[in-house]
Amino acid sequence: MKEAKANGQYQQQPQHQNGHLSPFKFAKLLDPEASWDKDQLGDVLHWIRQGMALVCGLLWGAVPLVGGIWFVIFLALSTGIIYGYYAMILKVDEEEFGGHGALLQEGLFASITLFLLAWVLVYSLGHF
């Protein structure tokens, strides 16, 4: 660990590799005591939502499901899981990260695009 002198005392700084922070620890994803900065939590929520969008899109297209209700179900499922993850598992203070709206919107529009792309592609290729 590198040490930096601040106020006459040495403090440990995170170790950098090629200008980046040391590797992310996956145990932190389920640790309610872990500290999160806004960018880290945003990235985690974004990629969880993208994974869900891909899985749901592939599943919806393979089954085959059609209709707007399935789109609404995806939105409700995605939002519910994201909210449950940061509020109940990580127990983060929403106000510290810009409120519910900021955290719930993290990766939403990209996940809608990925979900629709996967759903339409799998449905079209498999059922036409």
Side-chain angles (χ1 to χ4, degrees):
M1 294 293 240
K2 293 182 181 179
E3 293 182 358
K5 191 171 183 176
N7 298 333
Q9 298 178 351
Y10 285 99
Q11 298 175 344
Q12 290 187 348
Q13 298 290 323
Q15 187 173 2
H16 295 324
Q17 296 173 340
N18 298 332
H20 299 288
L21 289 174
S22 59
F24 185 79
K25 306 249 188 309
F26 285 102
K28 184 177 180 180
L29 293 175
L30 299 174
D31 184 11
E33 300 298 319
S35 65
W36 291 90
D37 70 1
K38 193 172 187 175
D39 290 335
Q40 282 181 335
L41 184 59
D43 288 346
V44 168
L45 296 177
H46 174 85
W47 288 110
I48 288 172
R49 201 180 285 263
Q50 301 318 306
M52 287 177 40
L54 186 60
V55 169
C56 288
L58 294 174
L59 184 65
W60 269 229
V63 168
L65 301 174
V66 294
I69 188 67
W70 295 104
F71 179 72
V72 173
I73 288 172
F74 164 72
L75 288 176
L77 183 67
S78 174
T79 302
I81 289 175
I82 291 297
Y83 177 76
Y85 177 70
Y86 77 75
M88 296 176 196
I89 294 175
L90 295 182
K91 297 180 169 98
V92 298
D93 181 22
E94 296 92 5
E95 297 305 319
E96 188 177 319
F97 294 96
H100 288 295
L103 291 175
L104 287 178
Q105 288 179 10
E106 196 66 51
L108 178 64
F109 299 110
S111 71
I112 290 171
T113 304
L114 181 60
F115 167 72
L116 289 173
L117 177 67
W119 187 13
V120 170
L121 252 163
V122 171
Y123 182 84
S124 297
L125 292 174
H127 303 287
F128 279 122

